[in-house]
């Protein structure tokens, strides 16, 4: 009996240290884990300590010290930056590549349209066209300058084009008269009443202005989205966020629980605290995405710049032919309104026809029209970007979920009892908070000062708000005033930051500016007044020499 009692006592003595060791930390295993992380084990304690010098991890039996904790904090910052970079990569790439593709497409469309017109007129008229090619070069130069962000009022520019065209044609068709500047000014007053070019100017003005407004604003919208995505994704972690993220990812190592992943709800609260300001970007970002999608409808439909630009040369030729056919009646009406001009002393028959053509100008044959091979290219671009924009509508508020769904970041929701809760292995009890800065006042994992919104995030919110306003106006066919970067004296002084080389090259956000319809902006500069094609007018003169005055 004594022997049995002695044996039981011996077993109890042996079991006591075993029970105590249930919460002991094996520091040799922690050393191995730190080696796997790439750290030297020289400073890893050989025996567990009370962790009284720790600032991030909970002071308890641990194999970490303050120096190890600092290394882990630095590693956490790098991990967070990489996580943000990886998660936002598709978003940033969408806006970067989308912006480049649309910008390249629109610029290429302008170049191809101008080249097509040049080639056709060169085949038709040869040397005389070469001598006057700068006429249409000026037109396309103004269109390109507008697209690149220049202060060009398209409606006024096109109005000036038709006025100058009328003046030049009238002079050449009535070369036996002395047409003074005052007389030309009088003719200009009757343009709307005379309608020498039929309905072409009115229709073309509406089509060109709306198409260019939509195209330019959409590309600017892609640029703003690109810049916002780039800047917001380069988030600066607060010290509280660094501590919370370190505790979530690495304090388990100090307890020897390095195989455990953070509980999913625990991860969500940490991320909602770290990304509180980014979540506040979401409402304005969603409105911006909706406005971009509205403009894509215009690009596909009535404001399709491709369908406007490709036949622009044919439309101009139709206008010129309309005036040719009604030249006699037009001259009579002008003489009635402005008086009979004085003879110039040069008769109509004295003009040489050696530099004119006997053929009548006519629209292109179907086989001579610019190729329509790229007609589906804009459709493909728009379809692709629409799907991606929809995908990213709630991007910023969904970041916490996106982060915590990463396998190497947090445990699956189904393993809520077998995960790291910030203190030990077990279920994470606190409630998951809502998104946004104001909802983080009582975040249990990250201390957030809800009275101090992030300045950079607020700037991006304002940039999105301004761009959304411009997109909505573009959808309605209205322009927003942009200050020409080469004209410091023009505009309200707000500035757009755009250069004339490309609408894509601004490093600054577009600041807000007054909303103006195109017809209410400043008068076009002399450089924007496009002169008519003189050689076409010579054709009309040659034709007129063959028929008597009526």
């Amino acid at each position: 009996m004594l022997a049995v009692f002695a044996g039981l006592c011996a077993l109890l003595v042996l079991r006591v240290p075993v029970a105590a060791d249930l919460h002991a930390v094996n520091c040799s295993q922690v050393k191995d884990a730190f080696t796997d992380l790439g750290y030297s084990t020289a400073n890893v304690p050989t025996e567990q300590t009370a962790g009284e010098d720790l600032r991030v991890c909970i002071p308890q039996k641990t194999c970490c010290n303050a120096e190890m904790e600092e290394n882990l904090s630095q590693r956490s910052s790098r991990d967070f930056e990489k996580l943000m970079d990886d998660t936002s990569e598709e978003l940033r790439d969408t806006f970067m590549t989308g912006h480049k593709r649309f910008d390249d497409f629109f610029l290429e469309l302008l170049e191809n349209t101008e080249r097509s017109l040049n080639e056709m007129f060169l085949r038709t008229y040869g040397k005389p066209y070469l001598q006057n090619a700068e006429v249409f070069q000026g037109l396309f130069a103004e269109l390109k300058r507008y697209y690149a962000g220049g202060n060009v009022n398209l409606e006024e520019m096109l109005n000036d084009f038709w006025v100058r065209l009328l003046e030049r044609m009238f002079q050449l068709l009535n070369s036996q008269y002395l047409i003074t500047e005052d007389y030309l000014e009088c003719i200009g007053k009757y343009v709307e009443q005379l309608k020498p070019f039929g309905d072409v100017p009115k229709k073309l003005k509406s089509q060109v202005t709306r198409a260019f407004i939509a195209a330019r604003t959409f590309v600017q919208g892609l640029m703003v989205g690109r810049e916002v995505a780039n800047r917001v994704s380069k988030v600066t972690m607060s010290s509280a966020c660094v501590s919370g993220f370190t505790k979530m990812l690495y304090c388990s190592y100090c307890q020897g629980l390095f195989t455990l992943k953070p509980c999913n709800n625990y991860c969500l609260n940490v991320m909602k605290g770290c990304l509180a300001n980014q979540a506040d970007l979401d409402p304005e970002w969603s409105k911006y995405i909706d406005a971009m999608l509205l403009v894509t409808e215009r690009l596909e439909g009535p404001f399709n710049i491709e369908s406007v630009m490709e036949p622009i040369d044919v439309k101009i030729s139709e206008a010129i032919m309309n005036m040719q056919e009604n030249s006699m009646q037009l001259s009579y009406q002008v003489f009635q309104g402005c008086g009979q001009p004085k003879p110039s002393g040069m008769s109509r028959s004295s003009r040489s026809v050696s530099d004119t053509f006997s053929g009548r100008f006519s629209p292109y044959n179907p086989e001579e029209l610019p190729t329509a091979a790229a007609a589906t290219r804009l459709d493909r671009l728009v379809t692709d970007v629409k799907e991606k924009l929809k995908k990213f509508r709630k991007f910023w508020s969904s970041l916490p979920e996106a982060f915590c769904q990463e396998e190497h970041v947090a445990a699956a929701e189904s393993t809520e009892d077998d995960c790291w809760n910030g203190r030990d292995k077990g279920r994470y009890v606190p409630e998951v908070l809502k998104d946004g800065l104001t909802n983080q006042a009582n975040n249990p994992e990250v201390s957030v000062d809800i009275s101090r919104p992030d300045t950079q995030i607020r700037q991006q919110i304002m940039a999105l708000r301004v761009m959304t306003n411009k997109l909505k106006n573009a959808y309605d066919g209205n322009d927003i005033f942009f200050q020409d970067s080469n004209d410091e004296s023009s505009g309200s002084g707000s500035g757009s930051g755009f250069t004339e080389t490309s609408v894509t090259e601004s490093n600054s956000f577009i600041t807000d500016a007054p909303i103006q319809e195109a017809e209410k902006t400043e008068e076009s500069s002399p450089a924007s007044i496009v002169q008519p094609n003189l050689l076409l007018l010579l054709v009309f003169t040659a034709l007129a020499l063959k028929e008597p005055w009526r």
Side-chain angles (χ1 to χ4, degrees):
M1 213 41 206
L2 288 172
V4 173
F5 180 76
L8 289 172
C9 289
L11 286 174
L12 288 172
V13 170
L14 290 173
R15 289 174 65 88
V16 169
V18 173
D21 285 343
L22 288 176
H23 298 288
V25 182
N26 188 332
C27 289
S28 64
Q29 293 180 347
V30 174
K31 281 190 175 186
D32 293 340
F34 265 67
T35 300
D36 292 341
L37 290 176
Y39 292 111
S40 169
T41 59
N43 295 320
V44 178
T46 57
E47 299 291 338
Q48 65 182 22
T49 67
E52 295 176 350
D53 60 339
L54 299 182
R55 296 183 178 181
V56 175
C57 300
I58 295 175
Q60 56 187 346
K61 290 182 179 181
T62 179
C63 286
C64 287
N65 53 35
E67 184 175 349
M68 295 169 63
E69 194 178 59
E70 177 60 28
N71 288 334
L72 292 174
S73 293
Q74 293 176 6
R75 185 185 186 91
S76 294
S77 295
R78 296 192 297 271
D79 288 345
F80 189 92
E81 290 173 2
K82 187 177 186 306
L83 191 59
M84 174 65 88
D85 189 67
D86 291 345
T87 306
S88 63
E89 181 179 9
E90 186 181 0
L91 172 74
R92 291 180 286 112
D93 182 68
T94 293
F95 281 94
M96 181 180 68
T97 58
H99 174 265
K100 186 177 188 307
R101 287 172 183 170
F102 274 92
D103 190 46
D104 288 347
F105 174 79
F106 291 139
L107 291 174
E108 182 182 344
L109 177 65
L110 288 172
E111 292 291 341
N112 289 343
T113 305
E114 183 176 12
R115 182 171 57 252
S116 177
L117 182 146
N118 180 69
E119 291 173 354
M120 173 55 63
F121 278 67
L122 185 59
R123 288 199 303 269
T124 305
Y125 301 112
K127 183 179 178 180
Y129 169 69
L130 287 176
Q131 295 172 341
N132 297 276
E134 72 279 357
V135 172
F136 284 108
Q137 291 171 359
L139 171 62
F140 280 96
E142 287 300 285
L143 293 174
K144 292 174 185 176
R145 190 163 77 88
Y146 171 84
Y147 173 75
N151 180 23
V152 177
N153 187 304
L154 291 175
E155 290 194 1
E156 290 186 358
M157 185 269 287
L158 290 171
N159 286 341
D160 290 340
F161 169 76
W162 296 113
V163 169
R164 299 302 181 186
L165 181 58
L166 170 61
E167 293 173 353
R168 287 297 187 91
M169 289 186 71
F170 187 85
Q171 285 179 292
L172 292 175
L173 291 172
N174 295 276
S175 57
Q176 71 275 29
Y177 295 109
L178 181 63
I179 309 297
T180 64
E181 288 297 324
D182 290 340
Y183 199 88
L184 291 177
E185 184 177 349
C186 178
I187 295 175
K189 295 178 181 179
Y190 291 94
V191 171
E192 289 296 325
Q193 179 181 339
L194 296 173
K195 292 186 178 180
F197 304 108
D199 292 331
V200 174
K202 181 180 179 181
K203 292 179 179 179
L204 194 61
K205 180 170 65 174
S206 175
Q207 294 169 349
V208 169
T209 53
R210 292 186 175 192
F212 270 79
I213 288 168
R216 182 175 81 164
T217 307
F218 186 73
V219 172
Q220 290 170 346
L222 288 172
M223 185 195 71
V224 169
R226 180 193 69 186
E227 292 302 314
V228 169
N230 285 337
R231 296 188 182 196
V232 177
S233 63
K234 301 299 181 183
V235 60
T236 300
M237 297 176 69
S238 67
S239 58
C241 174
V242 174
S243 297
F245 196 65
T246 302
K247 179 182 175 183
M248 182 186 85
L249 283 188
Y250 294 114
C251 284
S252 57
Y253 280 66
C254 301
Q255 306 302 313
L257 302 175
F258 36 81
T259 60
L260 286 182
K261 296 177 182 177
C263 300
N264 193 268
N265 286 351
Y266 175 32
C267 176
L268 287 175
N269 271 346
V270 172
M271 293 306 177
K272 285 174 184 286
C274 287
L275 300 169
N277 283 284
Q278 283 77 3
D280 281 352
L281 188 74
D282 213 56
E284 206 61 52
W285 176 265
S286 296
K287 294 177 184 176
Y288 153 77
I289 293 293
D290 290 341
M292 288 286 286
L293 291 172
L294 282 175
V295 177
T296 62
E297 295 178 9
R298 296 305 200 196
L299 292 176
E300 291 177 311
F303 299 176
N304 188 315
I305 191 173
E306 197 171 22
S307 64
V308 170
M309 289 306 298
E310 285 190 343
I312 194 171
D313 40 15
V314 177
K315 293 177 181 179
I316 293 175
S317 73
E318 290 175 353
I320 293 174
M321 285 192 297
N322 187 79
M323 181 172 179
Q324 174 187 351
E325 292 169 355
N326 298 283
S327 60
M328 300 304 161
Q329 180 182 356
L330 174 67
S331 296
Y332 175 78
Q333 290 176 319
V334 170
F335 294 158
Q336 289 290 104
C338 298
Q340 187 87 7
K342 296 179 180 179
S344 64
M346 181 177 67
S347 65
R348 291 171 53 86
S349 60
S350 66
R351 287 184 51 85
S352 170
V353 296
S354 60
D355 291 330
T356 60
F357 308 93
S358 59
R360 171 188 170 92
F361 182 81
S362 61
Y364 304 151
N365 294 324
E367 62 271 16
E368 294 176 328
L369 283 169
T371 177
T376 60
R377 184 178 170 192
L378 180 58
D379 294 335
R380 290 197 303 270
L381 286 174
V382 172
T383 299
D384 180 61
V385 79
K386 278 172 62 177
E387 292 306 312
K388 291 180 177 177
L389 288 173
K390 292 175 183 177
K391 177 181 178 180
F392 294 122
R393 189 175 182 274
K394 290 292 184 181
F395 178 81
W396 302 107
S397 62
S398 66
L399 274 179
E401 286 78 8
F403 279 24
C404 297
Q405 285 175 0
E406 294 290 335
E407 185 178 356
H408 64 282
V409 175
E413 294 182 36
S414 59
T415 59
E416 60 182 359
D417 291 320
D418 188 22
C419 55
W420 169 251
N421 60 22
R423 177 180 292 273
D424 208 335
K425 175 183 177 180
R427 182 188 297 264
Y428 181 74
V429 178
E431 180 185 0
V432 176
L433 302 178
K434 295 181 180 180
D435 297 311
L437 185 64
T438 58
N439 291 313
Q440 307 308 310
N442 298 313
N443 191 304
E445 309 305 334
V446 179
S447 177
V448 180
D449 185 354
I450 64 172
S451 66
R452 298 183 63 183
D454 185 273
T455 302
Q456 180 164 293
I457 298 294
R458 300 300 133 175
Q459 290 174 347
Q460 309 318 306
I461 289 174
M462 287 304 302
L464 289 172
R465 190 169 296 161
V466 169
M467 194 66 241
T468 299
N469 182 43
K470 293 173 181 176
L471 288 163
K472 288 180 178 179
N473 276 274
Y475 176 79
D476 293 330
N478 297 326
D479 205 355
I480 294 288
F481 177 79
F482 285 89
Q483 180 177 332
D484 192 326
S485 58
N486 292 334
D487 184 4
E488 296 180 355
S489 63
S490 67
S492 62
S494 62
S496 66
F498 291 106
T499 66
E500 298 229 359
T501 56
S502 173
V503 74
T504 69
E505 299 304 318
S506 171
N507 291 322
S508 61
F509 287 115
I510 311 165
T511 56
D512 206 355
I515 304 170
Q516 297 181 3
E517 296 184 0
E519 67 269 17
K520 294 181 181 179
T521 57
E522 293 184 39
E523 289 187 5
S524 300
S525 63
S528 70
I529 299 174
V530 183
Q531 304 297 330
N533 195 331
L534 180 59
L535 65 95
L536 295 177
L537 307 181
L538 295 176
V539 177
F540 308 153
T541 304
L543 292 172
L545 290 172
K546 296 181 180 181
E547 56 183 354
W549 286 85
R550 285 183 272 174

